[in-house]
Amino acid sequence: MTTIRALDDLDGEPHANAFPDAEPKTIRLTLAAGEAVPAHDHPDREIVLYLVEGEIELTLGEETHEVTAGDVARFDGDQDVSPKATEDSTALLVLAERAGD
């Protein structure tokens, strides 16, 4: 089965689930300049973030990274995660279940 969705057509702000009830969890995150998501974690998930447009400060644990449009980041969801938009931003996040060892 193939499903194709346009990011702009997804419902929900700041989070919109692209494929509800499907794995991996795929989210469009939309933040206005100055808006942030409070620190949180995603236990047992590996996360890939692709910044479609804008610029964010991505805090992962104790470190903060500047992410600009076109950048892709991969990180462990077991740590605290907090993105803050320094300008209006849209990101696509894929939260994959961590494979067993």
Side-chain angles (χ1 to χ4, degrees):
M1 182 171 99
T2 301
T3 305
I4 299 173
R5 306 278 314 266
L7 286 181
D8 290 341
D9 293 342
L10 300 178
D11 292 329
E13 295 290 332
H15 302 89
N17 194 333
F19 309 108
D21 304 319
E23 287 290 337
K25 189 172 184 180
T26 305
I27 303 294
R28 182 205 61 207
L29 176 66
T30 305
L31 297 173
E35 190 175 9
V37 175
H40 64 287
D41 63 1
H42 296 278
D44 301 320
R45 297 279 184 162
E46 290 289 329
I47 301 170
V48 173
L49 177 150
Y50 171 66
L51 192 60
V52 177
E53 61 185 4
E55 184 174 297
I56 64 171
E57 293 176 348
L58 179 61
T59 301
L60 302 171
E62 300 295 320
E63 296 182 11
T64 299
H65 307 272
E66 298 294 325
V67 182
T68 59
D71 288 348
V72 63
R74 180 179 175 185
F75 52 92
D76 189 330
D78 283 339
Q79 63 192 320
D80 279 342
V81 176
S82 179
K84 179 180 179 182
T86 55
E87 58 184 63
D88 293 351
S89 299
T90 300
L92 182 67
L93 293 100
V94 177
L95 294 82
E97 292 180 342
R98 184 173 295 117
D101 294 323

